Amino acid sequence: MSGRLMPCSPREISSLFLFEKLSPEQLGRLCSEGRVELFQPGPVYTEGDPATCFFVMVEGTVVLSRRVGGDDVEVTRTSQPGVYAGAMQAYLGDRVQQVYNNSMRVTEPTRFFVLPADLFADVMHEWFPMAVHLLEGLFFGAKNTQAAIGQRERLLALGSLSAGLTHELNNPAAAAVRATATLRERVAKMRHKLAMIAEGPFSRDALANLIDIQERTAERVAKAPALSPLEASDREDMLTDWLEDHGIGYGWQLSPTFVQAGLDVDWLEQVAAAVDEEILPGAIGWLNYTVETELLMSEIEDSTTRISHLVDAAKQYSQLDRAPYRVVDVHELLDSTLLMLSGKTGPGIKVVKEYDRTIPPIPAYPAELNQVWTNLIDNAVSAIYSAGGQGTLTVRTALDHEQALVEFRDTGPGVPPAIKGRIFDPFFTTKPVGEGTGLGLDISWRIVVNKHHGTLRVESVPGDTRFQVLLPLTAEAPQEEAEEPV
């Protein structure tokens, strides 16, 4: 939008604080090469358009806004003469993209002194060379610092996740190794016992009965019920008494294994009825090896299944071999992130999931959403630990009108009202020096708001802090990835 040209008075523009120290020659040049324009109420320029002009308000009222998701959020409204906006980074040239970083409109007839961007860059370099160098150093230094610390934060997060995953993998792997070694020992003893049985005076029918009992025992082990400690103790005593009554003096060693496998006195009675009395001790010993073997194989299966689930979670978390932008189930992303971070939560933090499974899959960048979940969960865990290490982390999903809500609630000390408005700022952190870079929430904000056109907000009182992510249920694929499969 362009305004109506007005006369430019060097005296008038010298009253603006930005130009008050300029010489008459400099003011004359500004008026001769720049211009004064009168804008009627409405837009002056729009965020994202090429930055062609630098605006300094002479009189009127100006409103600046930023695009957040699909909405324009007002950030400044002022009638102060001399305020400026527009191509403020023109002096950086082609080293940065020259676009308007906000939108500007006026609410009443407003006059601006307008400098073309190239002229603004020229006078900055010519009149204030030292200031330009300082501003360039500040701008690029801040960007480089943010990039370096952001990369460092990602590496630290990756290291933490790797350590947690290694710890989680180590437990089932070690269990599988122990169970395999014990299984080898039990199988060797079973072969030895089988040789003893084969050499004994057992009839074909007795051996057939024993093998039949072995098969039924193996089936029973697979269906063993879960018993309380008191129930298991009572059943062990009953089995021990039965075994001792039938001349098996080491029954106290066998009964815990039998109880774990779901066997009881009725089963022992069936065994005693199916074999002769003289071979009962040998049969019980043989069946004990069968039970132990089945239990060890179940343990190995559970351990390897756990490892497989962890590997699947790691693949889901990292989104390997997946399109960067696709339709995803937010619950799958949350579960994989929680599993990857389970080593961080520790025994003192209770994790509660309150999922609304009616939320449909949404279009998103899943790897980047996982980074958001990681940052928010890590902050929640840190908050709980700062309050003594005991608390609850609740992850809740719900439909909120036409958006999917993902909420992370912790029982930590809360966010003080004095800093609530700054927590999403780059480099702002409440953690001790060396423990936080202040970029976690800034990165999360940019991923949610800028990349997914959603909303990230916080509600906090002591003992109840909630970070809420709102994501649109529908969206068009990015232009550069519109052909990617979803």
Side-chain angles (χ1 to χ4, degrees):
M1 177 178 178
S2 59
R4 180 164 60 91
L5 290 177
M6 303 286 290
C8 178
S9 166
R11 176 177 295 181
E12 183 178 44
I13 65 171
S14 68
S15 66
L16 305 176
F17 62 82
L18 201 62
F19 305 132
E20 61 185 1
K21 299 298 183 180
L22 297 184
S23 66
E25 292 77 11
Q26 291 172 325
L27 293 171
R29 179 181 175 184
L30 290 181
C31 266
S32 63
E33 299 188 33
R35 60 187 183 270
V36 173
E37 292 187 44
L38 175 65
F39 287 82
Q40 296 301 319
V44 177
Y45 63 75
T46 302
E47 180 178 350
D49 288 348
T52 58
C53 294
F54 178 70
F55 296 85
V56 184
M57 189 179 74
V58 179
E59 63 176 351
T61 301
V62 65
V63 177
L64 298 179
S65 61
R66 292 293 305 271
R67 180 69 52 84
V68 179
D71 302 322
D72 286 325
V73 178
E74 181 176 322
V75 293
T76 301
R77 179 185 293 258
T78 181
S79 299
Q80 173 66 42
V83 295
Y84 52 90
M88 293 186 294
Q89 296 173 353
Y91 62 89
L92 297 174
D94 296 336
R95 287 175 290 177
V96 298
Q97 188 180 17
Q98 295 294 335
V99 296
Y100 291 120
N101 294 323
N102 51 35
S103 296
M104 184 167 71
R105 61 186 175 90
V106 296
T107 59
E108 61 177 316
T110 301
R111 284 192 303 139
F112 289 98
F113 175 71
V114 184
L115 273 179
D118 54 354
L119 175 62
F120 175 60
D122 288 343
V123 298
M124 284 290 291
H125 283 278
E126 183 178 340
W127 295 348
F128 314 108
M130 182 176 178
V132 168
H133 288 304
L134 291 173
L135 290 171
E136 287 178 342
L138 179 63
F139 179 82
F140 289 112
K143 288 196 67 173
N144 292 338
T145 300
Q146 184 168 351
I149 295 181
Q151 182 68 18
R152 179 64 174 171
E153 176 131 324
R154 290 180 176 86
L155 289 174
L156 290 173
L158 178 60
S160 177
L161 288 172
S162 299
L165 180 61
T166 302
H167 174 76
E168 292 296 316
L169 285 171
N170 181 65
N171 291 335
V177 170
R178 289 193 303 268
T180 302
T182 307
L183 178 62
R184 180 177 289 109
E185 178 185 340
R186 294 297 184 269
V187 170
K189 290 184 178 180
M190 183 180 287
R191 289 197 301 266
H192 178 67
K193 181 67 73 173
L194 178 61
M196 293 176 60
I197 291 176
E199 294 173 358
F202 305 127
S203 66
R204 173 177 290 184
D205 290 341
L207 290 175
N209 286 339
L210 190 58
I211 292 173
D212 179 63
I213 292 172
Q214 181 189 36
E215 292 296 328
R216 288 190 283 115
T217 300
E219 293 177 1
R220 190 156 180 168
V221 172
K223 302 175 183 178
L227 301 177
S228 68
L230 183 60
E231 291 173 331
S233 178
D234 291 342
R235 185 173 290 189
E236 287 178 18
D237 291 341
M238 295 171 64
L239 290 180
T240 301
D241 293 341
W242 189 96
L243 292 169
E244 290 178 351
D245 291 343
H246 288 76
I248 303 175
Y250 53 93
W252 59 274
Q253 294 177 307
L254 304 181
S255 58
T257 303
F258 287 165
V259 170
Q260 185 182 357
L263 309 181
D264 52 21
V265 171
D266 291 339
W267 173 80
L268 291 177
E269 291 288 357
Q270 294 176 26
V271 175
V275 300
D276 295 334
E277 185 176 351
E278 65 271 14
I279 70 169
L280 180 61
I284 293 295
W286 162 258
L287 294 175
N288 177 60
Y289 290 138
T290 299
V291 169
E292 287 186 329
T293 300
E294 289 295 322
L295 291 174
L296 288 168
M297 287 192 293
S298 295
E299 184 178 348
I300 293 171
E301 181 182 18
D302 291 343
S303 299
T304 53
T305 299
R306 169 71 173 166
I307 292 172
S308 178
H309 287 166
L310 286 167
V311 172
D312 287 342
K315 290 179 64 178
Q316 171 74 5
Y317 179 84
S318 62
Q319 293 295 307
L320 291 174
D321 305 323
R322 305 288 184 92
Y325 185 83
R326 62 188 183 89
V327 175
V328 295
D329 183 345
V330 294
H331 302 111
E332 292 181 359
L333 303 182
L334 290 168
D335 286 340
S336 66
T337 304
L338 285 169
L339 185 55
M340 291 291 290
L341 295 175
S342 58
K344 264 194 167 186
T345 55
I349 299 178
K350 180 182 179 183
V351 178
V352 177
K353 300 178 184 178
E354 297 178 358
Y355 290 170
D356 179 358
R357 295 290 184 177
T358 64
I359 296 178
I362 64 172
Y365 294 88
E368 298 191 31
L369 284 184
N370 280 340
Q371 187 177 1
V372 174
W373 311 153
T374 300
N375 290 337
L376 297 182
I377 292 172
D378 182 67
N379 283 350
V381 169
S382 297
I384 294 174
Y385 275 124
S386 71
Q390 301 289 326
T392 302
L393 167 63
T394 303
V395 182
R396 182 174 72 93
T397 63
L399 283 171
D400 189 325
H401 299 94
E402 297 301 316
Q403 294 179 304
L405 167 68
V406 181
E407 180 182 82
F408 299 86
R409 176 185 178 187
D410 69 73
T411 56
V415 179
I419 66 171
K420 186 177 177 181
R422 302 175 57 199
I423 59 174
F424 296 109
D425 293 348
F427 305 111
F428 181 79
T429 180
T430 59
K431 296 179 181 178
V433 175
E435 294 186 17
T437 61
L439 288 179
L441 289 177
D442 171 56
I443 292 170
S444 300
W445 171 273
R446 286 188 279 115
I447 290 174
V448 172
V449 176
N450 297 342
K451 201 148 191 178
H452 289 86
H453 307 296
T455 301
L456 176 57
R457 63 194 184 199
V458 61
E459 299 176 359
S460 182
V461 296
D464 185 1
T465 297
R466 307 182 185 201
F467 280 88
Q468 297 175 330
V469 177
L470 290 164
L471 299 168
L473 298 179
T474 58
E476 294 183 5
Q479 187 65 36
E480 67 272 16
E481 295 178 11
E483 303 300 323
E484 292 283 352
V486 295

